[in-house]
Amino acid sequence: MDVGVLYSGGKDSTLAALVLDPFYEVTLVSATFGITDAADHAREAAAAVGFPIETVELDEDVAREAAAQMVEDGFPRNGIQQVHDHVLEVVAAESFSAVADGTRRDDRVPTVSRAQAQSLEDRHGVDYVAPLSGFGRGAVDDLVDAQLVVEEGPSEEIPKGDYEAELRELIREEFEDGAVEDVFPDHDQTRVVGLRDQ
């Protein structure tokens, strides 16, 4: 069985791939709107942990709608969810027998409901798996500390392969000065740079 794991190069999606690796043929999937070089950062992280990676192109109109939603809301949650839903649809339409992400039990966004997962499976003939959905943040952090070498820092400074970086750039280009800071609260993100046993 093969699985396409939505991949940002961060700790959650990398840990999800490691959890699935004994049971599936894992391919990491970087999803990009082509707005920044985010896909390059995802490829670097994938090489550092030894998984193959593919890149899928996303509909730029989805990015524009999500960015506008974020600016209107004044927070990123709904826009990030909108993009995550789109990415799941795109990857589920690929040739994988399963699609997975790194969503955790206590994530506020993105999330995938049981009904959404079933709909995705029924419409695309794939399995949706969320290997970290039973893990809270503390457990994930413990597993990451044991398995991965990670860089952590402010979101705008860590070179990651996620769609937040692309959405930030789109908002910076299309909206007034300060819009990015108004939408995104200060928070840290991670980038995986290797495995602990290497």
PDB file of all heavy atoms in Angstrom, residues 75-104:
ATOM      1  N   PHE A  75      -7.719  36.882  11.193  1.00  0.00           N
ATOM      2  CA  PHE A  75      -7.009  35.729  11.740  1.00  0.00           C
ATOM      3  C   PHE A  75      -6.929  34.654  10.648  1.00  0.00           C
ATOM      4  O   PHE A  75      -7.709  34.671   9.699  1.00  0.00           O
ATOM      5  CB  PHE A  75      -7.676  35.177  13.008  1.00  0.00           C
ATOM      6  CG  PHE A  75      -9.137  34.855  12.858  1.00  0.00           C
ATOM      7  CD1 PHE A  75      -9.561  33.645  12.321  1.00  0.00           C
ATOM      8  CD2 PHE A  75     -10.107  35.768  13.267  1.00  0.00           C
ATOM      9  CE1 PHE A  75     -10.897  33.341  12.184  1.00  0.00           C
ATOM     10  CE2 PHE A  75     -11.459  35.471  13.138  1.00  0.00           C
ATOM     11  CZ  PHE A  75     -11.854  34.254  12.597  1.00  0.00           C
ATOM     12  N   PRO A  76      -5.996  33.690  10.788  1.00  0.00           N
ATOM     13  CA  PRO A  76      -5.740  32.767   9.680  1.00  0.00           C
ATOM     14  C   PRO A  76      -6.593  31.499   9.636  1.00  0.00           C
ATOM     15  O   PRO A  76      -6.587  30.789   8.632  1.00  0.00           O
ATOM     16  CB  PRO A  76      -4.268  32.389   9.880  1.00  0.00           C
ATOM     17  CG  PRO A  76      -4.064  32.498  11.349  1.00  0.00           C
ATOM     18  CD  PRO A  76      -4.950  33.637  11.816  1.00  0.00           C
ATOM     19  N   ARG A  77      -7.314  31.180  10.693  1.00  0.00           N
ATOM     20  CA  ARG A  77      -7.917  29.853  10.837  1.00  0.00           C
ATOM     21  C   ARG A  77      -8.746  29.401   9.624  1.00  0.00           C
ATOM     22  O   ARG A  77      -8.528  28.315   9.082  1.00  0.00           O
ATOM     23  CB  ARG A  77      -8.785  29.822  12.097  1.00  0.00           C
ATOM     24  CG  ARG A  77      -9.353  28.451  12.403  1.00  0.00           C
ATOM     25  CD  ARG A  77     -10.194  28.439  13.672  1.00  0.00           C
ATOM     26  NE  ARG A  77      -9.636  29.282  14.699  1.00  0.00           N
ATOM     27  CZ  ARG A  77     -10.320  30.222  15.351  1.00  0.00           C
ATOM     28  NH1 ARG A  77     -11.589  30.431  15.076  1.00  0.00           N
ATOM     29  NH2 ARG A  77      -9.733  30.948  16.278  1.00  0.00           N
ATOM     30  N   ASN A  78      -9.715  30.209   9.214  1.00  0.00           N
ATOM     31  CA  ASN A  78     -10.611  29.775   8.132  1.00  0.00           C
ATOM     32  C   ASN A  78      -9.886  29.641   6.800  1.00  0.00           C
ATOM     33  O   ASN A  78     -10.152  28.726   6.018  1.00  0.00           O
ATOM     34  CB  ASN A  78     -11.795  30.736   8.011  1.00  0.00           C
ATOM     35  CG  ASN A  78     -12.672  30.722   9.247  1.00  0.00           C
ATOM     36  OD1 ASN A  78     -12.863  29.695   9.884  1.00  0.00           O
ATOM     37  ND2 ASN A  78     -13.200  31.885   9.614  1.00  0.00           N
ATOM     38  N   GLY A  79      -8.959  30.550   6.532  1.00  0.00           N
ATOM     39  CA  GLY A  79      -8.199  30.468   5.289  1.00  0.00           C
ATOM     40  C   GLY A  79      -7.289  29.254   5.246  1.00  0.00           C
ATOM     41  O   GLY A  79      -7.197  28.573   4.216  1.00  0.00           O
ATOM     42  N   ILE A  80      -6.620  28.970   6.363  1.00  0.00           N
ATOM     43  CA  ILE A  80      -5.757  27.782   6.418  1.00  0.00           C
ATOM     44  C   ILE A  80      -6.599  26.521   6.226  1.00  0.00           C
ATOM     45  O   ILE A  80      -6.205  25.598   5.494  1.00  0.00           O
ATOM     46  CB  ILE A  80      -4.990  27.716   7.762  1.00  0.00           C
ATOM     47  CG1 ILE A  80      -3.971  28.862   7.861  1.00  0.00           C
ATOM     48  CG2 ILE A  80      -4.327  26.361   7.964  1.00  0.00           C
ATOM     49  CD1 ILE A  80      -2.748  28.710   6.992  1.00  0.00           C
ATOM     50  N   GLN A  81      -7.766  26.460   6.850  1.00  0.00           N
ATOM     51  CA  GLN A  81      -8.642  25.292   6.698  1.00  0.00           C
ATOM     52  C   GLN A  81      -9.077  25.130   5.251  1.00  0.00           C
ATOM     53  O   GLN A  81      -9.087  24.023   4.712  1.00  0.00           O
ATOM     54  CB  GLN A  81      -9.873  25.416   7.603  1.00  0.00           C
ATOM     55  CG  GLN A  81     -10.758  24.176   7.582  1.00  0.00           C
ATOM     56  CD  GLN A  81     -10.077  22.972   8.209  1.00  0.00           C
ATOM     57  OE1 GLN A  81      -9.593  23.040   9.326  1.00  0.00           O
ATOM     58  NE2 GLN A  81     -10.038  21.855   7.484  1.00  0.00           N
ATOM     59  N   GLN A  82      -9.412  26.233   4.609  1.00  0.00           N
ATOM     60  CA  GLN A  82      -9.831  26.208   3.209  1.00  0.00           C
ATOM     61  C   GLN A  82      -8.724  25.623   2.323  1.00  0.00           C
ATOM     62  O   GLN A  82      -8.981  24.773   1.458  1.00  0.00           O
ATOM     63  CB  GLN A  82     -10.178  27.629   2.773  1.00  0.00           C
ATOM     64  CG  GLN A  82     -10.740  27.781   1.385  1.00  0.00           C
ATOM     65  CD  GLN A  82     -11.096  29.235   1.086  1.00  0.00           C
ATOM     66  OE1 GLN A  82     -11.109  30.095   1.976  1.00  0.00           O
ATOM     67  NE2 GLN A  82     -11.373  29.518  -0.162  1.00  0.00           N
ATOM     68  N   VAL A  83      -7.495  26.053   2.550  1.00  0.00           N
ATOM     69  CA  VAL A  83      -6.380  25.552   1.748  1.00  0.00           C
ATOM     70  C   VAL A  83      -6.119  24.083   2.055  1.00  0.00           C
ATOM     71  O   VAL A  83      -5.899  23.281   1.138  1.00  0.00           O
ATOM     72  CB  VAL A  83      -5.114  26.403   1.980  1.00  0.00           C
ATOM     73  CG1 VAL A  83      -3.908  25.773   1.309  1.00  0.00           C
ATOM     74  CG2 VAL A  83      -5.332  27.823   1.459  1.00  0.00           C
ATOM     75  N   HIS A  84      -6.153  23.703   3.323  1.00  0.00           N
ATOM     76  CA  HIS A  84      -5.915  22.301   3.682  1.00  0.00           C
ATOM     77  C   HIS A  84      -6.943  21.387   3.018  1.00  0.00           C
ATOM     78  O   HIS A  84      -6.598  20.322   2.489  1.00  0.00           O
ATOM     79  CB  HIS A  84      -5.945  22.130   5.203  1.00  0.00           C
ATOM     80  CG  HIS A  84      -5.457  20.793   5.664  1.00  0.00           C
ATOM     81  ND1 HIS A  84      -4.124  20.453   5.665  1.00  0.00           N
ATOM     82  CD2 HIS A  84      -6.114  19.710   6.140  1.00  0.00           C
ATOM     83  CE1 HIS A  84      -3.973  19.219   6.115  1.00  0.00           C
ATOM     84  NE2 HIS A  84      -5.177  18.744   6.416  1.00  0.00           N
ATOM     85  N   ASP A  85      -8.199  21.798   3.022  1.00  0.00           N
ATOM     86  CA  ASP A  85      -9.253  21.013   2.362  1.00  0.00           C
ATOM     87  C   ASP A  85      -8.944  20.850   0.874  1.00  0.00           C
ATOM     88  O   ASP A  85      -9.095  19.761   0.302  1.00  0.00           O
ATOM     89  CB  ASP A  85     -10.617  21.683   2.535  1.00  0.00           C
ATOM     90  CG  ASP A  85     -11.102  21.706   3.983  1.00  0.00           C
ATOM     91  OD1 ASP A  85     -10.527  20.987   4.831  1.00  0.00           O
ATOM     92  OD2 ASP A  85     -12.063  22.451   4.256  1.00  0.00           O
ATOM     93  N   HIS A  86      -8.499  21.923   0.237  1.00  0.00           N
ATOM     94  CA  HIS A  86      -8.150  21.878  -1.187  1.00  0.00           C
ATOM     95  C   HIS A  86      -6.982  20.920  -1.432  1.00  0.00           C
ATOM     96  O   HIS A  86      -7.016  20.113  -2.371  1.00  0.00           O
ATOM     97  CB  HIS A  86      -7.806  23.288  -1.670  1.00  0.00           C
ATOM     98  CG  HIS A  86      -7.323  23.363  -3.083  1.00  0.00           C
ATOM     99  ND1 HIS A  86      -8.069  22.940  -4.169  1.00  0.00           N
ATOM    100  CD2 HIS A  86      -6.142  23.818  -3.602  1.00  0.00           C
ATOM    101  CE1 HIS A  86      -7.386  23.123  -5.287  1.00  0.00           C
ATOM    102  NE2 HIS A  86      -6.205  23.654  -4.967  1.00  0.00           N
ATOM    103  N   VAL A  87      -5.963  20.997  -0.572  1.00  0.00           N
ATOM    104  CA  VAL A  87      -4.800  20.125  -0.735  1.00  0.00           C
ATOM    105  C   VAL A  87      -5.204  18.660  -0.595  1.00  0.00           C
ATOM    106  O   VAL A  87      -4.777  17.809  -1.385  1.00  0.00           O
ATOM    107  CB  VAL A  87      -3.690  20.484   0.274  1.00  0.00           C
ATOM    108  CG1 VAL A  87      -2.531  19.499   0.179  1.00  0.00           C
ATOM    109  CG2 VAL A  87      -3.189  21.901   0.040  1.00  0.00           C
ATOM    110  N   LEU A  88      -6.026  18.344   0.391  1.00  0.00           N
ATOM    111  CA  LEU A  88      -6.497  16.964   0.546  1.00  0.00           C
ATOM    112  C   LEU A  88      -7.205  16.479  -0.712  1.00  0.00           C
ATOM    113  O   LEU A  88      -6.994  15.343  -1.161  1.00  0.00           O
ATOM    114  CB  LEU A  88      -7.426  16.837   1.748  1.00  0.00           C
ATOM    115  CG  LEU A  88      -6.778  16.769   3.118  1.00  0.00           C
ATOM    116  CD1 LEU A  88      -7.847  16.806   4.208  1.00  0.00           C
ATOM    117  CD2 LEU A  88      -5.918  15.522   3.261  1.00  0.00           C
ATOM    118  N   GLU A  89      -8.043  17.308  -1.284  1.00  0.00           N
ATOM    119  CA  GLU A  89      -8.758  16.935  -2.516  1.00  0.00           C
ATOM    120  C   GLU A  89      -7.782  16.669  -3.656  1.00  0.00           C
ATOM    121  O   GLU A  89      -7.911  15.683  -4.383  1.00  0.00           O
ATOM    122  CB  GLU A  89      -9.750  18.036  -2.916  1.00  0.00           C
ATOM    123  CG  GLU A  89     -10.924  18.195  -1.992  1.00  0.00           C
ATOM    124  CD  GLU A  89     -11.921  17.049  -2.060  1.00  0.00           C
ATOM    125  OE1 GLU A  89     -11.969  16.334  -3.083  1.00  0.00           O
ATOM    126  OE2 GLU A  89     -12.661  16.869  -1.082  1.00  0.00           O
ATOM    127  N   VAL A  90      -6.796  17.553  -3.813  1.00  0.00           N
ATOM    128  CA  VAL A  90      -5.825  17.398  -4.903  1.00  0.00           C
ATOM    129  C   VAL A  90      -5.018  16.113  -4.729  1.00  0.00           C
ATOM    130  O   VAL A  90      -4.849  15.335  -5.666  1.00  0.00           O
ATOM    131  CB  VAL A  90      -4.896  18.636  -4.979  1.00  0.00           C
ATOM    132  CG1 VAL A  90      -3.733  18.384  -5.929  1.00  0.00           C
ATOM    133  CG2 VAL A  90      -5.686  19.861  -5.416  1.00  0.00           C
ATOM    134  N   VAL A  91      -4.521  15.864  -3.522  1.00  0.00           N
ATOM    135  CA  VAL A  91      -3.679  14.681  -3.291  1.00  0.00           C
ATOM    136  C   VAL A  91      -4.516  13.404  -3.354  1.00  0.00           C
ATOM    137  O   VAL A  91      -4.060  12.376  -3.871  1.00  0.00           O
ATOM    138  CB  VAL A  91      -2.911  14.808  -1.959  1.00  0.00           C
ATOM    139  CG1 VAL A  91      -2.092  13.550  -1.682  1.00  0.00           C
ATOM    140  CG2 VAL A  91      -1.991  16.026  -2.003  1.00  0.00           C
ATOM    141  N   ALA A  92      -5.746  13.447  -2.874  1.00  0.00           N
ATOM    142  CA  ALA A  92      -6.619  12.268  -2.945  1.00  0.00           C
ATOM    143  C   ALA A  92      -6.920  11.878  -4.385  1.00  0.00           C
ATOM    144  O   ALA A  92      -7.189  10.707  -4.675  1.00  0.00           O
ATOM    145  CB  ALA A  92      -7.911  12.522  -2.181  1.00  0.00           C
ATOM    146  N   ALA A  93      -6.873  12.836  -5.287  1.00  0.00           N
ATOM    147  CA  ALA A  93      -7.123  12.555  -6.702  1.00  0.00           C
ATOM    148  C   ALA A  93      -5.899  11.980  -7.412  1.00  0.00           C
ATOM    149  O   ALA A  93      -5.993  11.568  -8.575  1.00  0.00           O
ATOM    150  CB  ALA A  93      -7.584  13.832  -7.417  1.00  0.00           C
ATOM    151  N   GLU A  94      -4.755  11.952  -6.727  1.00  0.00           N
ATOM    152  CA  GLU A  94      -3.552  11.339  -7.292  1.00  0.00           C
ATOM    153  C   GLU A  94      -3.705   9.818  -7.238  1.00  0.00           C
ATOM    154  O   GLU A  94      -4.767   9.302  -6.903  1.00  0.00           O
ATOM    155  CB  GLU A  94      -2.315  11.805  -6.506  1.00  0.00           C
ATOM    156  CG  GLU A  94      -2.060  13.297  -6.566  1.00  0.00           C
ATOM    157  CD  GLU A  94      -1.534  13.755  -7.912  1.00  0.00           C
ATOM    158  OE1 GLU A  94      -0.583  13.138  -8.428  1.00  0.00           O
ATOM    159  OE2 GLU A  94      -2.077  14.736  -8.441  1.00  0.00           O
ATOM    160  N   SER A  95      -2.648   9.084  -7.492  1.00  0.00           N
ATOM    161  CA  SER A  95      -2.738   7.626  -7.612  1.00  0.00           C
ATOM    162  C   SER A  95      -2.454   6.873  -6.318  1.00  0.00           C
ATOM    163  O   SER A  95      -2.255   5.669  -6.333  1.00  0.00           O
ATOM    164  CB  SER A  95      -1.764   7.147  -8.697  1.00  0.00           C
ATOM    165  OG  SER A  95      -0.442   7.519  -8.360  1.00  0.00           O
ATOM    166  N   PHE A  96      -2.433   7.550  -5.185  1.00  0.00           N
ATOM    167  CA  PHE A  96      -2.140   6.890  -3.915  1.00  0.00           C
ATOM    168  C   PHE A  96      -3.346   6.075  -3.437  1.00  0.00           C
ATOM    169  O   PHE A  96      -4.495   6.429  -3.690  1.00  0.00           O
ATOM    170  CB  PHE A  96      -1.792   7.922  -2.840  1.00  0.00           C
ATOM    171  CG  PHE A  96      -0.592   8.755  -3.164  1.00  0.00           C
ATOM    172  CD1 PHE A  96      -0.730  10.095  -3.476  1.00  0.00           C
ATOM    173  CD2 PHE A  96       0.683   8.192  -3.173  1.00  0.00           C
ATOM    174  CE1 PHE A  96       0.371  10.876  -3.785  1.00  0.00           C
ATOM    175  CE2 PHE A  96       1.795   8.961  -3.473  1.00  0.00           C
ATOM    176  CZ  PHE A  96       1.630  10.298  -3.780  1.00  0.00           C
ATOM    177  N   SER A  97      -3.063   5.004  -2.697  1.00  0.00           N
ATOM    178  CA  SER A  97      -4.156   4.243  -2.088  1.00  0.00           C
ATOM    179  C   SER A  97      -4.603   4.872  -0.774  1.00  0.00           C
ATOM    180  O   SER A  97      -5.696   4.598  -0.281  1.00  0.00           O
ATOM    181  CB  SER A  97      -3.757   2.781  -1.876  1.00  0.00           C
ATOM    182  OG  SER A  97      -2.556   2.674  -1.153  1.00  0.00           O
ATOM    183  N   ALA A  98      -3.765   5.738  -0.199  1.00  0.00           N
ATOM    184  CA  ALA A  98      -4.126   6.457   1.029  1.00  0.00           C
ATOM    185  C   ALA A  98      -3.507   7.840   0.989  1.00  0.00           C
ATOM    186  O   ALA A  98      -2.481   8.063   0.348  1.00  0.00           O
ATOM    187  CB  ALA A  98      -3.642   5.697   2.261  1.00  0.00           C
ATOM    188  N   VAL A  99      -4.157   8.775   1.693  1.00  0.00           N
ATOM    189  CA  VAL A  99      -3.638  10.124   1.854  1.00  0.00           C
ATOM    190  C   VAL A  99      -3.612  10.413   3.350  1.00  0.00           C
ATOM    191  O   VAL A  99      -4.500   9.983   4.090  1.00  0.00           O
ATOM    192  CB  VAL A  99      -4.479  11.162   1.075  1.00  0.00           C
ATOM    193  CG1 VAL A  99      -5.930  11.169   1.534  1.00  0.00           C
ATOM    194  CG2 VAL A  99      -3.889  12.550   1.180  1.00  0.00           C
ATOM    195  N   ALA A 100      -2.565  11.104   3.797  1.00  0.00           N
ATOM    196  CA  ALA A 100      -2.394  11.352   5.229  1.00  0.00           C
ATOM    197  C   ALA A 100      -1.909  12.773   5.461  1.00  0.00           C
ATOM    198  O   ALA A 100      -1.365  13.418   4.565  1.00  0.00           O
ATOM    199  CB  ALA A 100      -1.389  10.362   5.816  1.00  0.00           C
ATOM    200  N   ASP A 101      -2.112  13.233   6.695  1.00  0.00           N
ATOM    201  CA  ASP A 101      -1.558  14.524   7.094  1.00  0.00           C
ATOM    202  C   ASP A 101      -1.039  14.422   8.524  1.00  0.00           C
ATOM    203  O   ASP A 101      -1.144  13.369   9.158  1.00  0.00           O
ATOM    204  CB  ASP A 101      -2.586  15.657   6.924  1.00  0.00           C
ATOM    205  CG  ASP A 101      -3.844  15.453   7.747  1.00  0.00           C
ATOM    206  OD1 ASP A 101      -3.802  14.761   8.790  1.00  0.00           O
ATOM    207  OD2 ASP A 101      -4.894  15.995   7.357  1.00  0.00           O
ATOM    208  N   GLY A 102      -0.484  15.507   9.006  1.00  0.00           N
ATOM    209  CA  GLY A 102       0.106  15.515  10.340  1.00  0.00           C
ATOM    210  C   GLY A 102      -0.775  16.172  11.385  1.00  0.00           C
ATOM    211  O   GLY A 102      -0.260  16.674  12.383  1.00  0.00           O
ATOM    212  N   THR A 103      -2.097  16.177  11.173  1.00  0.00           N
ATOM    213  CA  THR A 103      -2.979  16.790  12.159  1.00  0.00           C
ATOM    214  C   THR A 103      -2.945  16.002  13.464  1.00  0.00           C
ATOM    215  O   THR A 103      -2.907  14.777  13.468  1.00  0.00           O
ATOM    216  CB  THR A 103      -4.424  16.888  11.644  1.00  0.00           C
ATOM    217  OG1 THR A 103      -4.891  15.597  11.253  1.00  0.00           O
ATOM    218  CG2 THR A 103      -4.518  17.837  10.460  1.00  0.00           C
ATOM    219  N   ARG A 104      -2.949  16.765  14.579  1.00  0.00           N
ATOM    220  CA  ARG A 104      -2.871  16.164  15.908  1.00  0.00           C
ATOM    221  C   ARG A 104      -4.222  16.281  16.617  1.00  0.00           C
ATOM    222  O   ARG A 104      -5.096  17.037  16.196  1.00  0.00           O
ATOM    223  CB  ARG A 104      -1.815  16.873  16.758  1.00  0.00           C
ATOM    224  CG  ARG A 104      -0.430  16.834  16.181  1.00  0.00           C
ATOM    225  CD  ARG A 104       0.486  17.748  16.940  1.00  0.00           C
ATOM    226  NE  ARG A 104      -0.061  19.102  17.005  1.00  0.00           N
ATOM    227  CZ  ARG A 104       0.587  20.148  17.472  1.00  0.00           C
ATOM    228  NH1 ARG A 104       1.806  20.014  17.952  1.00  0.00           N
ATOM    229  NH2 ARG A 104       0.031  21.335  17.490  1.00  0.00           N
TER     230      ARG A 104
END
